[in-house]
Amino acid sequence: MNKLGNILKVLEISVDQSCEDIALSYLSSNTQDLSENTLFIALKGLSFDARKVDIAELISKGVVAVIYDDCDDFVMNSESIPCIPCKDLDYKQAIIAKAFYDNQTSKIELIGVTGTNGKSTITHIVSQWLHFLGEKTAVMGTLGTGIYPNLIPSANTTMKALDLEKRINQFIENGVESIAMEVSSHGVVQRRITGLTFSIAAFTNLSRDHLDFHKTMENYATAKLDFLKMVNPRNCVLNVGDKTGLEFYQNYLTEALCYSREKCEEVNNLIYAENVIYKKSGVEFDVNGKYGKAHFCSKLLGSFNIENLLCAISILLLKGYTLEQLSKYSNELSPICGRMECFKGVKTPLSVVDYAHTPDGLEKALQALKEHSFGRIITVVGCGGDRDTGKRPNMAKIACQNSDYVIFTTDNPRTEQPENILKMMVDGVVSNYQNYEQVIDRKQAIVKAYNNATKEDVILVAGKGHEDYQIIGKTKHHFSDREIVRELCGL
């Protein structure tokens, strides 16, 4: 139980004593999620203005006080309950949540992972490893949120501040010891994580993405660094094999634990991979460096997944586990849903479903398949509508350069015409590449790739990964690459 006065104090808002003493037991910004003694946060959204909800209806559902968005001269009045204006309320949700839940994240090990690629894989690897090691662990991110392995879908990579604190509080009440959480650049800039206390922060890499939001790569990098600076440098993990990660180490975080696929002489606190063997069933390698040496086997494909494993290992080393403890369970780790996830029937080609939707992500996925010496590489790929258009020609060129055959297709066209998106992709393919065709219907494209492959080949279905929908116009339609590939493989 909390009091309204405690919330208003951190917001530096003064009201009379009778308001301050109002008891609160629930916090929400969702009109469908109200309970007894609720403090309701009324936000003005892009499509819904919660300030205009009927006060009597809120009261009937248990609301005892409202803090509302103080903008555009709107005034929310009620004689029954206090309605208190607050400027910049969207950003101050984090402050309210931290005060309401009494800074709960300081009472649990909260592990944050940021970077363009690898966040989902790393958080899930960390959770799997901790599960094998006997820790009750939760995951929060793109693939879902919940106590591992029981997850429910998430609307965003990083939830809004009120939902974050509420879910973390529920995890603590259920005995969770650690939380592995994806931290998006949007979540940083929009201050969704402002009220959280992270025990460990990890950075994976930086490549072109979200420029429709950040505008420049410099802004994008700054968002990642702002998150890392929330944590003691000794509790940061950096990929110094990535240019931006090395810059973060050299200029700001010289005490961080670093990792790289190769030995990096200019870095002190380092673990790295050596003696790497690529097999069609996965990878083997030794981890060497600051914490000694140990051998690791994994079912994950590709050198970039070695980086992901090194990141997870670094996080767990900071938590106090040894290389020997981690090595024991490395071959038990399962590929992550929609992240280089493999499907193969007895007489079918290997089909790999991956979320690669950026130029860097696609290139890494294709290079990973080359490392494992399959037959031909056949790629099915598209680009999303109403998003960064500059990456479309780059994606197409990378696909043709690194594949034997490519089928360009749709990938959440949204309000754009699929033909226009594909034309922008094809414009990026230089004239000497003729190893592609266009099939607008995504299912037909996947089926065509499958029918043109031998059992020695590998098919990469890129872009959607775990997603089970296709957005056409403004409507979500059920569509799953994984389901189609499973059916084609007879699984």
Side-chain angles (χ1 to χ4, degrees), residues 368-387:
L369 296 180
K370 286 183 178 182
E371 290 162 345
H372 290 267
S373 302
F374 293 102
R376 294 186 306 155
I377 297 175
I378 300 172
T379 300
V380 179
V381 64
C383 288
D386 301 336
R387 297 293 186 270

Side-chain angles (χ1 to χ4, degrees), residues 119-389:
K119 297 186 295 296
S120 296
T121 297
I122 292 163
T123 52
H124 280 253
I125 290 173
V126 167
S127 299
Q128 285 190 54
W129 242 319
L130 289 176
H131 181 73
F132 293 134
L133 291 162
E135 269 198 45
K136 192 171 186 178
T137 309
V139 183
M140 305 183 80
T142 307
L143 300 182
T145 293
I147 299 174
Y148 185 84
N150 302 309
L151 310 183
I152 59 174
S154 301
N156 303 100
T157 298
T158 306
M159 294 179 179
K160 291 184 178 180
L162 293 188
D163 296 327
L164 267 175
E165 292 271 7
K166 184 183 298 182
R167 191 59 59 86
I168 290 170
N169 187 60
Q170 291 170 349
F171 290 150
I172 292 171
E173 290 177 346
N174 280 281
V176 168
E177 300 166 76
S178 298
I179 300 172
M181 174 182 161
E182 295 181 51
V183 178
S184 68
S185 54
H186 289 68
V188 177
V189 173
Q190 295 172 348
R191 304 184 204 175
R192 300 178 202 166
I193 62 168
T194 299
L196 305 183
T197 301
F198 288 89
S199 304
I200 296 171
F203 171 79
T204 63
N205 48 64
L206 194 81
S207 61
R208 180 172 183 141
D209 200 12
H210 305 307
L211 293 192
D212 51 322
F213 178 78
H214 294 290
K215 307 305 179 188
T216 68
M217 289 299 293
E218 290 75 16
N219 292 341
Y220 187 25
T222 297
K224 302 299 187 185
L225 183 59
D226 286 345
F227 163 61
L228 296 170
K229 286 181 175 179
M230 292 175 64
V231 179
N232 185 315
R234 295 179 182 177
N235 292 329
C236 286
V237 171
L238 298 176
N239 177 10
V240 291
D242 176 83
K243 178 184 175 183
T244 303
L246 183 59
E247 290 173 356
F248 286 170
Y249 168 76
Q250 293 171 331
N251 298 326
Y252 306 101
L253 302 165
T254 55
E255 296 179 280
L257 175 58
C258 302
Y259 68 93
S260 176
R261 271 184 283 170
E262 299 176 351
K263 189 173 183 179
C264 185
E265 297 291 351
E266 56 193 304
V267 176
N268 294 322
N269 301 327
L270 179 73
I271 68 167
Y272 59 94
E274 59 183 11
N275 305 322
V276 178
I277 301 172
Y278 296 100
K279 302 179 177 181
K280 289 186 178 180
S281 58
V283 294
E284 289 188 32
F285 59 97
D286 293 326
V287 173
N288 204 346
K290 179 180 179 181
Y291 288 83
K293 187 173 182 178
H295 188 68
F296 286 74
C297 301
S298 172
K299 299 170 187 173
L300 278 65
L301 298 178
S303 55
F304 76 91
N305 266 324
I306 294 177
E307 285 190 354
N308 290 335
L309 287 161
L310 287 170
C311 184
I313 291 167
S314 299
I315 289 168
L316 296 171
L317 289 171
L318 286 181
K319 275 180 58 63
Y321 292 102
T322 67
L323 285 176
E324 289 72 22
Q325 285 175 301
L326 301 176
S327 173
K328 179 180 177 182
Y329 296 105
S330 63
N331 205 35
E332 302 297 318
L333 301 171
S334 300
I336 314 305
C337 175
R339 302 302 193 273
M340 295 299 284
E341 188 177 8
C342 300
F343 301 88
K344 192 177 190 318
V346 177
K347 296 182 180 180
T348 69
L350 178 70
S351 297
V352 179
V353 175
D354 190 69
Y355 190 50
H357 61 285
T358 66
D360 181 65
L362 181 61
E363 186 170 28
K364 285 182 176 178
L366 288 167
Q367 288 175 350
L369 296 180
K370 286 183 178 182
E371 290 162 345
H372 290 267
S373 302
F374 293 102
R376 294 186 306 155
I377 297 175
I378 300 172
T379 300
V380 179
V381 64
C383 288
D386 301 336
R387 297 293 186 270
D388 179 12
T389 59

Side-chain angles (χ1 to χ4, degrees), residues 420-454:
N420 295 339
I421 297 173
L422 266 58
K423 181 180 184 304
M424 293 184 71
M425 294 183 71
V426 170
D427 285 346
V429 181
V430 291
S431 58
N432 58 326
Y433 285 103
Q434 302 296 325
N435 58 334
Y436 67 89
E437 68 174 297
Q438 302 176 55
V439 179
I440 290 177
D441 184 278
R442 190 173 178 91
K443 182 174 181 178
Q444 289 181 15
I446 296 170
V447 171
K448 186 161 192 176
Y450 179 86
N451 288 337
N452 285 333
T454 71

